[in-house]
Amino acid sequence: MSEISRPQLAVYAVAALAVVLLGARYLRQEGARGVGAGSAAGPARRPGAVRVTGGGGGPALVDVTGAVRRPGVYRLAAGARVQAAVRRAGGARAGADLSALNLAAKVADGAQVVVPVRGAGGAAAASAGAAGGASGPGGAPAGPVNLNTATVEQLDALDGVGPTTARKIVEYRSQHGGFGSLGELDRIPGIGPKRLAALRGKLIV
């Protein structure tokens, strides 16, 4: 095997250096392409993340009843106020007692907003009726129950009113926007003059 001369060694060294430099250049170019592709793909992914909703919750279904023009169940935006619920139901009817409501309160999904009729009970009675009030012996309410805000359970607890009649009262109230007087109870099937007379001391409007 012949011995490699110095000129040949120099040629080989230059060739090897050229290969190394070309390889380094190639690697830098590939790295730059990878960074560029990552930057271009980044904005394409971000809109998908923006569309994901946070923890604010979805729309709320609210039952608006009582002294409003169009009682019914309405879909409201998350965080909507009681005032918006009343407005969606056509607004309050003449004689409605809006002072009994906190119009600035937020509504929750599945809640019921009852707009009472202004009457002898006033706002305090309406608030007591909505809250459930105190109960006397046997679960009966300790005081008169507001006819326009009482729940089925509260009405059922009264002597002379069973669960069927209590549901009929609430249904009539929802359909007609509340009771203007206790005398309107005679429009409920099953409530005659004697039962109405017995309920006069237990109900207010």
Side-chain angles (χ1 to χ4, degrees):
M1 185 173 180
S2 59
E3 213 175 286
I4 299 175
S5 64
R6 289 186 179 180
Q8 288 177 324
L9 286 175
V11 171
Y12 293 154
V14 170
L17 181 61
V19 170
V20 172
L21 292 175
L22 288 174
R25 181 178 180 183
Y26 174 80
L27 291 175
R28 282 199 300 271
Q29 289 176 347
E30 287 298 314
R33 286 197 196 98
V35 172
S39 301
R45 288 193 297 268
R46 279 195 291 272
V50 172
R51 285 195 297 269
V52 176
T53 57
L61 289 178
V62 182
D63 180 17
V64 186
T65 185
V68 290
R69 292 187 175 88
R70 297 191 302 273
V73 177
Y74 293 92
R75 184 185 298 272
L76 301 174
R81 310 287 174 168
V82 171
Q83 184 179 29
V86 174
R87 189 181 300 118
R88 282 293 303 276
R93 295 176 55 191
D97 188 7
L98 291 178
S99 65
L101 299 174
N102 179 4
L103 297 175
K106 290 184 179 181
V107 297
D109 184 45
Q112 184 182 54
V113 176
V114 180
V115 180
V117 177
R118 187 180 297 108
S127 300
S135 297
V145 174
N146 190 294
L147 184 59
N148 286 313
T149 59
T151 63
V152 171
E153 291 75 15
Q154 286 176 291
L155 294 170
D156 183 23
L158 298 174
D159 291 336
V161 178
T164 301
T165 302
R167 284 193 294 270
K168 290 179 180 178
I169 291 174
V170 173
E171 289 172 2
Y172 178 92
R173 186 176 69 194
S174 299
Q175 295 170 1
H176 296 83
F179 291 86
S181 66
L182 291 179
E184 292 182 20
L185 277 174
D186 61 5
R187 303 177 187 178
I188 306 298
I191 297 183
K194 290 185 179 179
R195 183 175 293 187
L196 178 58
L199 291 173
R200 286 191 178 276
K202 302 172 184 177
L203 292 169
I204 57 174
V205 292

